[in-house]
Amino acid sequence: GAVVSQHPSRVICKSGTSVKIECRSLDFQATTMFWYRQFPKQSLMLMATSNEGSKATYEQGVEKDKFLINHASLTLSTLTVTSAHPEDSSFYICSARPRGLGYEQYFGPGTRLTVT
Amino acid sequence: DAKTTQPPSMDCAEGRAANLPCNHSTISGNEYVYWYRQIHSQGPQYIIHGLKNNETNEMASLIITEDRKSSTLILPHATLRDTAVYYCIVKTGANNLFFGTGTRLTVIP
C-alpha cells in the first residue's frame, strides 16, 4: 500500500518551454502533497506544500510563478516548470501524506528533468 | 524543528549489522525521530520513526537514548541493496520533512 507514482520519469525539453510533472497517490487519498528538488550530490530541498483545493505554500526562495503547482484532487498534484532554463535541470520528487492516517509521507520515484 | 548531525559516510560488511548514529541534542519533547533512506536516483523510502521508546519493524530497529539527544538506526543484516543515503530527521508530527545531508552507507561484499 501507500504507493506514489510520478510521470514522466525522465523528460528532456528545450530552454524556454514548459514542462508538467504529475504526481499521483495510487491507493490512498492525500490531503497534502509535497514537491522537492534535488541537484546532483545534494540533499532534497522542499519547494512547496499543497493541500487539495487550495493554493500551494512555497518555501523561501522558490518562485511561485515559475513552479506552478495544482492539487486539483485528493490523488493528483502537478508541478509545471514554466519557461524552463538549463539551471532548472534537476531531480524533482513528490510525496504525499495520506488522509487521516497520521503524518507519514510517501515518496514518488522522482522525475529527472534536463533542459537543453 | 531540531537539527541533526550524522556522519557523512560509513561502510558495513555484507551480512553484518549496520549501526547508523544520529545526534539531535536540541530535540524537544513533542518531536519525533524519523529515518528515511534514498537509493541512488530514487525517491526516499520511509524506514522507521519513534518518540522515546525503541522501535522495530521489518526493515530496522531504532534505538533512542533515554535523554533523547541521540539515536541509532540498526539494519540487522545489511545487504548490498541497503547501500543508500540514510537521513535522520527530527520533527513534530505535523511539520514538513526537511532533509539534511544524511549518511552515505556503503555495504561491502
Side-chain angles (χ1 to χ4, degrees):
Chain A
V3 178
V4 177
S5 71
Q6 281 184 242
H7 178 80
S9 58
R10 290 178 174 270
V11 57
I12 300 173
C13 72
K14 293 191 175 179
S15 190
T17 61
S18 295
V19 173
K20 181 186 283 188
I21 302 169
E22 291 186 351
C23 175
R24 293 181 187 273
S25 55
L26 297 185
D27 51 1
F28 64 95
Q29 292 183 325
T31 46
T32 308
M33 287 185 165
F34 307 83
W35 287 95
Y36 292 80
R37 179 169 56 180
Q38 185 175 34
F39 293 110
K41 298 191 187 301
Q42 294 187 23
S43 188
L44 288 82
M45 186 193 78
L46 179 65
M47 299 175 68
T49 304
S50 72
N51 291 297
E52 184 260 341
S54 60
K55 288 184 179 179
T57 301
Y58 290 81
E59 294 298 308
Q60 193 170 10
V62 178
E63 300 173 60
K64 62 180 181 182
D65 294 331
K66 181 170 183 62
F67 298 99
L68 301 179
I69 292 171
N70 186 300
H71 190 164
S73 78
L74 285 171
T75 59
L76 173 65
S77 176
T78 60
L79 168 69
T80 301
V81 183
T82 62
S83 187
H85 290 285
E87 56 265 32
D88 298 323
S89 297
S90 188
F91 193 48
Y92 291 86
I93 306 167
C94 73
S95 70
R97 178 179 287 164
R99 182 184 196 181
L101 287 180
Y103 298 108
E104 279 73 40
Q105 279 178 233
Y106 299 94
F107 286 81
T111 296
R112 173 91 42 206
L113 170 64
T114 303
V115 184
T116 61
Chain B
D1 293 328
K3 191 173 175 180
T4 62
T5 304
Q6 299 177 253
S9 64
M10 293 181 64
D11 291 341
C12 176
E14 189 179 16
R16 299 284 203 162
N19 296 285
L20 293 96
C22 180
N23 284 321
H24 31 79
S25 58
T26 59
I27 192 170
S28 60
N30 61 345
E31 288 182 313
Y32 290 76
V33 180
Y34 284 79
W35 283 84
Y36 281 78
R37 73 179 182 184
Q38 186 180 25
I39 295 168
H40 182 63
S41 293
Q42 297 183 24
Q45 178 188 23
Y46 166 81
I47 301 173
I48 199 167
H49 76 282
L51 184 63
K52 30 184 185 180
N53 297 325
N54 296 338
E55 302 286 345
T56 295
N57 63 21
E58 63 278 2
M59 287 184 70
S61 294
L62 173 60
I63 308 298
I64 303 174
T65 57
E66 195 166 338
D67 63 9
R68 304 212 316 128
K69 292 186 177 182
S70 65
S71 60
T72 301
L73 178 75
I74 301 172
L75 308 179
H77 305 286
T79 70
L80 299 179
R81 282 183 283 190
D82 292 322
T83 292
V85 178
Y86 287 76
Y87 297 98
C88 168
I89 301 166
V90 171
K91 72 178 194 77
T92 59
N95 281 5
N96 295 334
L97 271 176
F98 291 94
F99 288 79
T101 52
T103 296
R104 181 173 299 278
L105 175 69
T106 303
V107 180
I108 302 168

